[in-house]
């Protein structure tokens, strides 16, 4: 009984594998023919049109996140260094 179950399992797996391979071969044949037609058109000088939805718009580059500052920092008075006054001059 166990050998019958194992052989039935192997048979089902073999059938499923064969059907999958045949399906992939059929799909691959159609895709290969389409690629051959497209290659012939490209060799003839035609350019394929793409749908507008397929175009990706690049994001705008944000310069405020780069390492270089966009504003010059205001000068701050140093701590501990006395400033000259008008009376001292």
């Amino acid at each position: 009984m166990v050998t019958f179950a194992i052989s039935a399992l192997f048979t089902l797996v073999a059938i499923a594998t064969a059907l999958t391979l045949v399906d992939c071969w059929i799909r691959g044949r159609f895709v290969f023919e389409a690629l051959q037609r497209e290659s012939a058109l490209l060799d003839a000088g035609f350019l394929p049109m793409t749908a507008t939805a397929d175009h990706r718009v690049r994001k705008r580059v944000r310069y405020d996140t780069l390492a270089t500052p966009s504003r010059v920092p205001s000068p701050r008075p140093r701590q501990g260094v006395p400033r000259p006054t008008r009376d001292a001059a």
Side-chain angles (χ1 to χ4, degrees):
M1 186 70 177
V2 174
T3 57
F4 177 72
I6 291 174
S7 64
L9 178 67
F10 277 120
T11 305
L12 288 175
V13 169
I15 291 172
T17 303
L19 289 175
T20 303
L21 288 174
V22 168
D23 180 54
C24 289
W25 177 71
I26 291 171
R27 288 184 189 197
R29 187 179 61 181
F30 287 127
V31 170
F32 181 72
E33 290 172 1
L35 286 175
Q36 291 292 78
R37 282 193 303 272
E38 187 174 326
S39 175
L41 288 173
L42 287 174
D43 290 341
F46 291 97
L47 294 177
M49 288 186 63
T50 57
T52 308
D54 293 339
H55 293 258
R56 183 174 64 108
V57 179
R58 285 182 18 187
K59 289 185 177 181
R60 184 178 65 92
V61 177
R62 296 188 58 189
Y63 292 105
D64 58 342
T65 59
L66 296 177
T68 57
S70 59
R71 292 179 282 139
V72 177
S74 61
R76 297 180 188 169
R78 292 188 225 168
Q79 299 291 333
V81 178
R83 284 197 200 172
T85 60
R86 291 185 191 181
D87 296 336

